[in-house]
Amino acid sequence: MEGFNVDWFVVVSALLFVCFDFLTGIIKAIKTKNVSSTIMREGLLHKCAFVLVIILAIMCEAAMTHLDLGITVPLIAPVCVYIILTEIASILENIAEINPELRGSKLFALFTSTKEENDA
């Protein structure tokens, strides 16, 4: 398809973060002795929704090369960035439940950024 290129690294990265979040959620459930097929099914459905949004973004960008959809902005990268940032927060929450000593640690501080820190 001429004029349409997907940066598959971005898509695969988002999917890996989704999978890693699911894995850390399972580990957290085992650690807290709260393994529940209902909760896991719900989490898996949420992950499937993220995958569907990625597919939708790819479809829209592909369609934009041939049709006037009323939008012309790239969608795949921003969608994947949003998903990755959401998953990072969830992964950190899961890891903090797995090992509470990490909560508030300098290691976890590496994953946070505030405007004041960036302005300094």
Side-chain angles (χ1 to χ4, degrees):
M1 196 177 328
E2 190 173 294
F4 175 65
N5 238 342
V6 176
D7 184 350
W8 291 108
F9 180 83
V10 173
V11 173
V12 170
S13 294
L15 296 174
L16 287 173
F17 276 90
V18 167
C19 291
F20 192 61
D21 182 38
F22 190 71
L23 175 65
T24 60
I26 291 171
I27 295 169
K28 176 184 86 169
I30 292 169
K31 162 112 182 355
T32 60
K33 297 179 173 77
N34 191 25
V35 177
S36 163
S37 62
T38 302
I39 294 171
M40 286 183 7
R41 186 172 37 257
E42 188 70 25
L44 192 55
L45 290 173
H46 286 138
K47 302 306 173 198
C48 286
F50 276 154
V51 173
L52 292 172
V53 172
I54 292 171
I55 293 169
L56 177 63
I58 292 169
M59 290 170 52
C60 287
E61 277 201 35
M64 280 188 268
T65 63
H66 299 284
L67 302 168
D68 181 5
L69 299 179
I71 53 174
T72 58
V73 297
L75 294 173
I76 299 168
V79 163
C80 289
V81 167
Y82 176 85
I83 290 170
I84 289 170
L85 293 175
T86 301
E87 295 297 4
I88 288 171
S90 181
I91 291 164
L92 289 172
E93 289 171 5
N94 290 339
I95 292 172
E97 289 289 323
I98 295 166
N99 183 353
E101 293 174 11
L102 292 174
R103 192 184 321 266
S105 70
K106 290 183 180 181
L107 178 63
F108 267 34
L110 295 172
F111 294 96
T112 60
S113 176
T114 62
K115 184 163 177 31
E116 294 80 32
E117 289 173 4
N118 291 335
D119 291 342

